């Protein structure tokens, strides 16, 4: 209800701003005053985004090869701003191309415009006139609470630059005293002393080499999306309203921690799916004794109504057959990672209204079993292809990871034979943009038209994922592989693709050679022979030995 009231208030403000823009003086001579207006630098240079929620992406774009993506959350509209020097009593035209739900473009304290829904890029435009003594203007674009990611590109502020004859050409002084104030496995926090300027400092950019990795309007920032156990060197530069940039600060180096981030942490998990809801569930301890497997991925946590977790949406979270199975697995020296979501059913992602509510539901599961890891199996149009729900899941995983030190978080999603699809790429990009600190991105290389060569298709898909992680997070091959997971389908897939024990052995050996983080398959229930039996819930549809795929998986060491 509070979000709705804020939305109504904002719409009223927009209407007033538009009314104030009527009967303006003649438009000034056109010239785009904005720095990095199309984000073609590949960085946020010139722009500052609240909450570290902005990033530069390669798709979707309006023109060129880059655009802004900013992930509005339940508590932050992901506002991105740039302050420029302007002339008093002058009319300017602000325009830009935006995409998403409830996207705004305007000038702080002045006129703005918005669109309630833009499935493809839509141009927004608004004019405003500066005050009698106004020499700077802050341009903004933002989304709305809980509406997910919006995109912006080719933003233009047309009019004469500030300062009259020549304008402000004096750069701020270099920031001093840059220091690292804290690290995690994927972040480094920095602070520095303020710069001075003849007119005024409007912001600071944090550099790693020549790349801007964070921006701030204050004297501190946190750089996110870093690799674990890795040394980074940073500098900071100040900028003013006229776009003048200071010299670099002193350089400072910091090394990320070894826990919680993947590369270098030693997190490895061989964990085939076990489902107590159907498929003649086998005795977990019998399978453990026969194969040496220690971990199981327990499926599935769904909604029993609203934002309330339960097994399969109907069995109690505790006290039922699922808890009895988990207790037996642990008594035999093993452990479990619950899988939240899946292809079908009433899922928590769409039912929990905010990242905070979804995190609370996840926390119920974590607390019920004292978990070391959780897996969110994000599939289908209600979660995987729903950008609002994607961001909600990432936000929730970020929260529970912060609240449960040492907890490992896993995302499992579909793939093409060449690697992540559009929505998979978006999920990875948003994980970085939101600082979700995901430990393992697990692809499901089946039901993707892989054809006869399931080994080749699986390796191609996994390498595609590795390359996407490298380009998004700036990791090397080893670190990227250490964040990769594979979850296959033993025997016949739903699309009649065949993975034999020999094929799965080759996949496992490749996974060990490249030191990926996780190996799983669907499912132990199906790890029994029924040659010519088709796709069944209690057997693989091919000729094999009992628990043969589980035995092979138990040999995964990473």
């Amino acid at each position: 209800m509070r979000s709705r009231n804020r939305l109504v208030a904002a719409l009223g403000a927009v209407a007033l701003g538009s009314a104030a823009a009527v009967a303006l003086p003649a438009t000034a001579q056109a010239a785009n005053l904005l720095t990095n207006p199309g984000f073609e630098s590949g960085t946020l240079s010139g722009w500052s985004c609240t909450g570290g929620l902005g990033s530069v992406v390669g798709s979707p774009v309006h023109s060129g090869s880059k655009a802004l993506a900013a992930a509005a959350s339940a508590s932050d509209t992901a506002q991105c701003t740039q302050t420029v020097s302007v002339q008093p009593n002058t009319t300017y035209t602000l325009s830009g191309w935006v995409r998403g739900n409830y996207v705004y473009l305007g000038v702080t304290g002045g006129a703005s415009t918005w669109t309630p829904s833009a499935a493809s890029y839509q141009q927004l435009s608004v004019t405003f006139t500066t005050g009698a003594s106004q020499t700077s203007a802050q341009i903004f674009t933002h989304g709305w609470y809980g509406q997910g990611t919006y995109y912006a590109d080719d933003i233009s502020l047309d009019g004469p630059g500030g300062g009259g004859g020549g304008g402000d050409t004096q750069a701020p002084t270099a920031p001093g005293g840059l220091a690292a104030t804290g690290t995690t496995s994927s972040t480094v926090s920095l602070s520095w002393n303020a710069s001075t300027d003849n007119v005024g400092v409007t912001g600071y950019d944090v550099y790693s080499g020549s790349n801007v990795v964070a921006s701030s309007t204050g004297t501190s920032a946190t750089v996110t999306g870093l690799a674990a156990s890795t040394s980074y060197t940073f500098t900071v530069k100040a900028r003013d309203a006229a776009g003048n940039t200071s010299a670099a600060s002193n350089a400072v180096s910091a090394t990320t921690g070894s826990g919680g981030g993947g590369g270098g942490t030693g997190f490895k998990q061989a964990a085939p799916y076990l489902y107590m809801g159907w498929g003649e569930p086998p005795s977990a301890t019998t399978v453990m004794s026969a194969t040496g497997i220690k971990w199981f991925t327990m499926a599935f946590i769904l909604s029993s109504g609203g934002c309330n977790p339960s097994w399969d949406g109907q069995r109690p979270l505790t006290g039922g057959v699922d808890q009895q199975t988990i207790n037996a697995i642990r008594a035999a020296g093993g452990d479990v990672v619950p899988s939240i979501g899946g292809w079908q059913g009433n899922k928590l992602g769409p039912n929990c209204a905010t990242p905070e509510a979804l995190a609370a539901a996840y926390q119920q599961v974590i607390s019920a079993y004292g978990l070391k890891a959780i897996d969110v199996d994000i599939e289908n149009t209600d979660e995987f292809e729903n950008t609002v729900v994607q961001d909600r899941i990432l936000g929730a995983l970020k929260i529970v990871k912060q609240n449960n030190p040492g907890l490992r978080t896993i995302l499992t999603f579909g793939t093409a034979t060449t690697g992540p699809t559009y929505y998979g790429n978006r999920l990875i990009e948003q994980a970085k943009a939101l600082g979700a600190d995901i430990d393992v991105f697990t692809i499901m290389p089946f039901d993707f038209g892989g054809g006869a060569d399931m080994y080749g298709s699986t390796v191609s898909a996994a390498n595609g994922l590795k390359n996407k992680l490298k380009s998004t997070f700036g990791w090397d091959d080893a670190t990227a592989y250490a964040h990769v997971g594979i979850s296959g389908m033993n025997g016949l897939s739903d699309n009649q693709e065949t993975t034999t024990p020999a094929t799965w052995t080759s996949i496992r050996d490749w996974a060990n050679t490249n030191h990926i983080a996780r190996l799983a398959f669907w499912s132990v229930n199906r790890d029994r022979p029924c040659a010519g039996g088709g796709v069944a819930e209690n057997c693989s549809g091919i000729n094999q030995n009992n628990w043969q795929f589980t035995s092979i998986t138990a040999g995964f060491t990473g």
Side-chain angles (χ1 to χ4, degrees):
M1 182 62 71
R2 285 183 298 170
S3 293
R4 176 171 177 163
N5 290 340
R6 284 186 288 184
L7 178 57
V8 171
L11 298 185
V14 170
L16 290 174
S18 297
V22 176
L24 301 175
T27 303
Q29 182 179 0
N32 193 358
L33 304 182
L34 296 178
T35 299
N36 197 20
F39 306 92
E40 293 303 310
S41 70
T43 73
L44 291 174
S45 179
W47 296 89
S48 180
C49 299
T50 59
L53 298 176
S55 65
V56 176
V57 297
S59 177
V61 301
H62 172 253
S63 71
S65 61
K66 303 294 181 183
L68 168 70
S73 68
S75 58
D76 195 321
T77 61
Q79 177 167 284
C80 296
T81 61
Q82 183 173 149
T83 302
V84 297
S85 181
V86 295
Q87 294 184 14
N89 289 323
T90 304
T91 299
Y92 292 83
T93 298
L94 173 65
S95 65
W97 293 84
V98 301
R99 174 173 172 165
N101 294 327
Y102 295 99
V103 190
Y104 295 76
L105 180 70
V107 56
T108 301
S112 63
T113 184
W114 67 290
T115 176
S117 178
S120 59
Y121 273 102
Q122 173 182 333
Q123 188 175 33
L124 299 179
S125 182
V126 65
T127 56
F128 66 95
T129 300
T130 54
S133 60
Q134 185 175 353
T135 59
S136 67
Q138 185 183 66
I139 304 307
F140 70 78
T141 183
H142 66 74
W144 196 250
Y145 300 100
Q147 294 299 313
T149 298
Y150 71 89
Y151 303 89
D153 200 1
D154 298 328
I155 304 174
S156 174
L157 179 63
D158 289 338
D168 175 17
T169 60
Q170 181 174 328
T173 62
L178 177 64
T181 58
T183 62
T184 69
S185 61
S186 63
T187 67
V188 173
S189 296
L190 303 166
S191 68
W192 55 88
N193 298 328
S195 298
T196 60
D197 185 66
N198 63 315
V199 176
V201 175
T202 58
Y204 299 87
D205 293 319
V206 179
Y207 287 79
S208 177
S210 61
N211 296 322
V212 176
V213 292
S215 297
S216 174
T217 56
T219 56
S220 64
T222 298
V223 184
T224 62
L226 305 177
S229 302
T230 303
S231 178
Y232 293 89
T233 300
F234 303 100
T235 57
V236 176
K237 295 180 182 180
R239 47 185 160 77
D240 63 17
N244 300 306
T245 302
S246 76
S249 68
N250 60 293
V252 65
S253 296
T255 300
T256 51
S258 61
T265 68
F267 175 61
K268 306 296 177 183
Q269 188 181 76
Y273 281 80
L274 178 63
Y275 188 30
M276 304 311 295
W278 57 239
E280 300 174 12
S283 163
T285 54
T286 297
V287 175
M288 292 173 72
S289 177
T291 65
I293 200 72
K294 294 296 185 183
W295 281 81
F296 293 94
T297 303
M298 295 283 291
F300 284 105
I301 295 287
L302 297 173
S303 164
S304 62
C307 193
N308 300 302
S310 67
W311 289 104
D312 212 24
Q314 52 190 310
R315 301 189 302 279
L317 189 60
T318 59
V321 63
D322 300 274
Q323 181 171 28
Q324 293 168 12
T325 301
I326 292 171
N327 292 347
I329 291 169
R330 287 178 166 173
D335 212 338
V336 302
V337 51
S339 184
I340 302 170
W343 175 256
Q344 61 188 4
N346 193 25
K347 303 169 195 173
L348 291 169
N351 277 284
C352 299
T354 66
E356 291 77 12
L358 184 56
Y362 291 168
Q363 189 64 52
Q364 289 186 55
V365 184
I366 295 165
S367 299
Y369 296 109
L371 296 173
K372 300 180 180 69
I374 60 170
D375 167 59
V376 177
D377 190 336
I378 178 170
E379 300 188 54
N380 220 323
T381 56
D382 56 346
E383 289 195 318
F384 187 54
E385 297 179 14
N386 184 322
T387 58
V388 173
V389 175
Q390 267 201 13
D391 293 349
R392 187 179 299 155
I393 289 170
L394 290 168
L397 288 173
K398 179 178 180 179
I399 292 169
V400 296
K401 190 156 190 182
Q402 291 170 340
N403 292 339
N404 300 270
L407 180 76
R408 308 303 182 124
T409 52
I410 303 162
L411 281 172
T412 299
F413 50 96
T415 183
T417 56
T418 54
T421 62
Y422 168 80
Y423 286 103
N425 286 326
R426 183 193 182 279
L427 186 69
I428 293 166
E429 291 163 3
Q430 286 300 98
K432 181 181 187 300
L434 295 173
D437 195 20
I438 302 300
D439 290 286
V440 185
F441 297 87
T442 300
I443 52 168
M444 295 183 287
F446 58 89
D447 290 349
F448 59 176
D453 185 10
M454 290 301 286
Y455 169 78
S457 294
T458 297
V459 169
S460 174
N463 277 325
L465 171 61
K466 179 264 295 183
N467 290 333
K468 178 62 180 178
L469 296 178
K470 283 182 63 179
S471 64
T472 301
F473 291 97
W475 294 333
D476 58 18
D477 278 339
T479 303
Y481 275 128
H483 288 77
V484 167
I486 293 173
S487 182
M489 188 168 181
N490 55 309
L492 289 180
S493 75
D494 304 292
N495 289 352
Q496 301 295 311
E497 302 152 333
T498 302
T499 298
T500 66
T503 302
W504 190 241
T505 299
S506 296
I507 291 170
R508 182 213 52 201
D509 292 345
W510 179 90
N512 281 336
T513 299
N514 290 280
H515 308 299
I516 73 169
R518 174 173 158 85
L519 188 65
F521 69 88
W522 179 263
S523 64
V524 176
N525 304 59
R526 302 179 66 250
D527 196 8
R528 294 174 277 209
C530 57
V535 181
E537 64 186 30
N538 61 350
C539 60
S540 65
I542 65 171
N543 185 31
Q544 63 157 95
N545 298 325
N546 282 339
W547 326 130
Q548 190 169 1
F549 284 86
T550 305
S551 295
I552 296 166
T553 305
F556 171 72
T557 60

